[in-house]
Amino acid sequence: MSRSYFSNRRVLVTGGAGFVGSHLVDRLLESGDEVLCVDNLFTGAKANIAHHLNHPRFEFMRHDICFPLFVEVDAIYNLACPASPIHYQHDPVQTTKVSVIGSINMLGLAKRIHVPILQASTSEVYGDPHQHPQTEAYWGNVNPIGLRSCYDEGKRCAETLFFDYHRQHSLNIKVARIFNTYGPRMHPADGRVVSNFIIQALRGDDITIYGDGSQTRSFCYVDDLVDGLIRLMNSPAGITGPINLGNPVEFTIRQLAEIVIEMTGARSKLIEHPLPSDDPMQRRPDISLARDKLDWQPHIALRDGLEKTVSYFRNLLD
């Protein structure tokens, strides 16, 4: 049964030691919630949550959600899954398992204890889109058998499961489609474009771009994203999503590299490499639904967010 008779909620965050998950844990504790952080530490790190280990309302459990979990909580944020190509392609079978079997286990838990559950889905469900910007009604253009398919199709299947549990069992679900997010605590070796560029610039290395750098991305600072996730979780039960959460301001990869070089004072040159397989050429969210249903939009400009992120990686390297 739900623990709603307690003054504070007890909230489960799977993947809570990861980049986004740890920032979500911060915010939930600040709001007065109890937090059960579950992570198998495949890509998460105890360092991301070390400042909470002695907190009276925080509990850490090392656990892989591909195996059932029996706990009593009031809400579940399901963020467990490697999210960078380097990590999710390292063990693609396990990546698919955590999206599918892990989701089944968390949905089963939510059904048993009658609590709302939020799925951290991804803009990768749109694949290499033919629609721009991407709206939630777009079904996507995804290669089902490519190198990225373990993540893209795993997340698509997770969304299917969430909506089937909602229709079949009247489960209170929330599905957020997360676009490119950046900020402190990104894994320094995750291969994502923001961390890659900053690390290379701070080390004085040349910056690697794929193709000619004309492909576009939209970059959302992690604090803005966490605000969107919490607003979605706390929204009325009728708001299930999927809802795009991301920054609609679009930059080319080349522009991002030039901004990072300027902000770090690096003398790095841009080195072009061939495009990876199935790499999307455009990525920008239509966030009309988030504005309308959640009264949410990002507020932190790219340069402001990059300043904090560069400072984090500078300290990490020092």
Side-chain angles (χ1 to χ4, degrees), residues 30-76:
E30 286 170 11
S31 69
D33 289 328
E34 291 182 37
V35 176
L36 172 59
C37 170
V38 169
D39 203 301
N40 68 353
L41 302 181
F42 174 61
T43 58
K46 266 195 173 180
N48 290 338
I49 53 168
H51 54 298
H52 294 314
L53 291 178
N54 293 320
H55 195 293
R57 286 185 280 105
F58 177 79
E59 180 182 354
F60 173 70
M61 179 188 299
R62 186 165 184 171
H63 179 82
D64 184 340
I65 65 165
C66 290
F67 299 93
L69 180 65
F70 300 99
V71 294
E72 300 294 328
V73 294
D74 300 303
I76 302 169

Side-chain angles (χ1 to χ4, degrees), residues 51-294:
H51 54 298
H52 294 314
L53 291 178
N54 293 320
H55 195 293
R57 286 185 280 105
F58 177 79
E59 180 182 354
F60 173 70
M61 179 188 299
R62 186 165 184 171
H63 179 82
D64 184 340
I65 65 165
C66 290
F67 299 93
L69 180 65
F70 300 99
V71 294
E72 300 294 328
V73 294
D74 300 303
I76 302 169
Y77 288 86
N78 187 36
L79 276 65
C81 187
S84 75
I86 284 178
H87 291 148
Y88 67 64
Q89 291 173 21
H90 172 72
D91 190 345
V93 172
Q94 183 63 24
T95 297
T96 304
K97 281 183 175 180
V98 76
S99 287
V100 179
I101 299 173
S103 290
I104 290 171
N105 286 333
M106 291 303 102
L107 287 162
L109 174 62
K111 174 175 173 281
R112 181 178 68 82
I113 59 178
H114 308 291
V115 300
I117 179 169
L118 182 146
Q119 167 68 1
S121 190
T122 172
S123 61
E124 298 303 318
V125 300
Y126 299 122
D128 190 4
H130 293 156
Q131 181 191 93
H132 192 74
Q134 292 82 57
T135 66
E136 292 86 351
Y138 177 53
W139 289 358
N141 174 42
V142 176
N143 178 357
I145 59 171
L147 292 174
R148 303 168 68 100
S149 305
C150 57
Y151 184 69
D152 301 2
E153 294 287 39
K155 290 289 192 178
R156 285 164 70 93
C157 185
E159 288 196 13
T160 300
L161 286 163
F162 267 71
F163 278 90
D164 283 340
Y165 267 79
H166 172 64
R167 286 184 287 258
Q168 189 170 336
H169 301 296
S170 301
L171 191 62
N172 183 1
I173 66 161
K174 312 286 181 179
V175 175
R177 288 179 177 164
I178 299 172
F179 283 67
N180 289 63
T181 305
Y182 71 99
R185 299 182 201 156
M186 294 183 80
H187 196 293
D190 66 6
R192 296 195 224 189
V193 64
V194 172
S195 51
N196 259 10
F197 287 180
I198 292 174
I199 292 286
Q200 288 174 331
L202 290 175
R203 287 177 172 165
D205 299 333
D206 290 333
I207 288 183
T208 303
I209 62 174
Y210 294 95
D212 61 4
S214 62
Q215 64 270 41
T216 66
R217 296 292 184 271
S218 313
F219 301 102
C220 184
Y221 189 67
V222 65
D223 288 357
D224 280 332
L225 173 68
V226 166
D227 179 50
L229 292 174
I230 291 174
R231 284 172 183 250
L232 178 55
M233 175 62 91
N234 295 339
S235 64
I239 299 176
T240 60
I243 290 185
N244 290 338
L245 294 179
N247 196 318
V249 181
E250 196 172 7
F251 293 87
T252 69
I253 296 300
R254 184 173 289 271
Q255 283 177 312
L256 174 67
E258 291 168 349
I259 293 171
V260 168
I261 289 172
E262 175 195 332
M263 294 187 72
T264 57
R267 297 181 179 180
S268 307
K269 297 176 182 177
L270 302 185
I271 305 297
E272 296 182 4
H273 285 244
L275 276 171
S277 175
D278 301 323
D279 193 46
M281 288 304 296
Q282 291 181 304
R283 183 69 83 230
R284 185 178 120 212
D286 182 317
I287 61 168
S288 303
L289 199 58
R291 285 193 179 107
D292 179 46
K293 299 295 185 182
L294 308 178

Side-chain angles (χ1 to χ4, degrees), residues 188 198-199 201-204 309-318:
I198 292 174
I199 292 286
L202 290 175
R203 287 177 172 165
T309 311
V310 168
S311 176
Y312 168 79
F313 279 114
R314 199 187 296 275
N315 290 335
L316 196 67
L317 291 178
D318 287 346

